[in-house]
């Protein structure tokens, strides 16, 4: 098995917006370098009627990966408090985790594997 070389680019993008009249805001952070890719973004529209946050990180050598969705809110009907998938081979005993915490109307669904 042969692994391709890591990218040599360096990218660091950060941005945000705020619309007070609509009670809406958002942000974006993207980082790319020879070791890691990281993406963070969030949006909150109309004082929280629709909102979401996402974070994705991985090492190019595939020893670490994390994807997390948080605070996804769809008109108070469906709330995704957290969905997480993480793999970490940098520890003495590599592990993978999947967990979620979701609410649909008044029913809470939680799982962790």
């Amino acid at each position: 098995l042969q692994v391709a070389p890591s990218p040599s680019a360096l990218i660091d993008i950060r941005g945000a917006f705020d619309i007070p009249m609509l009670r809406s805001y958002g942000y974006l952070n993207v980082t790319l370098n020879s070791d890691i890719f990281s993406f963070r973004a969030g949006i909150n529209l109309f004082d929280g009627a629709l909102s979401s946050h996402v974070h994705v990180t991985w090492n190019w050598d595939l020893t670490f990966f994390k994807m997390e969705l948080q605070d996804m809110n769809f008109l108070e009907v469906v709330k995704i408090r957290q969905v997480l998938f993480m793999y970490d081979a940098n520890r003495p005993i590599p592990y993978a985790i999947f967990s979620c915490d979701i609410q649909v109307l008044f029913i809470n669904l939680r799982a962790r594997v």
Side-chain angles (χ1 to χ4, degrees):
L1 177 67
Q2 212 173 14
V3 178
S6 300
S8 61
L10 174 60
I11 296 173
D12 191 9
I13 300 170
R14 298 174 190 274
F17 76 89
D18 185 18
I19 307 172
M21 187 168 55
L22 298 177
R23 296 183 177 195
S24 301
Y25 66 89
Y27 65 90
L28 170 72
N29 296 332
V30 177
T31 302
L32 171 70
N33 60 39
S34 61
D35 298 320
I36 192 170
F37 170 79
S38 178
F39 174 85
R40 289 182 182 268
I43 191 164
N44 187 313
L45 300 175
F46 312 116
D47 202 22
L50 297 170
S51 65
S52 177
H53 300 275
V54 63
H55 177 206
V56 176
T57 300
W58 77 73
N59 293 359
W60 293 116
D61 64 3
L62 301 178
T63 58
F64 180 83
F65 175 81
K66 178 179 179 181
M67 188 230 23
E68 185 173 22
L69 302 172
Q70 288 183 316
D71 304 324
M72 294 180 79
N73 183 5
F74 301 100
L75 303 173
E76 299 295 322
V77 175
V78 177
K79 294 180 184 179
I80 298 175
R81 291 187 180 98
Q82 182 187 45
V83 174
L84 169 69
F85 175 76
M86 185 168 71
Y87 170 76
D88 190 348
N90 294 315
R91 299 184 176 253
I93 300 175
Y95 72 91
I97 295 173
F98 173 77
S99 68
C100 67
D101 184 355
I102 300 170
Q103 179 180 345
V104 179
L105 295 175
F106 56 88
I107 301 169
N108 288 320
L109 309 166
R110 290 186 180 128
R112 184 175 177 119
V113 178

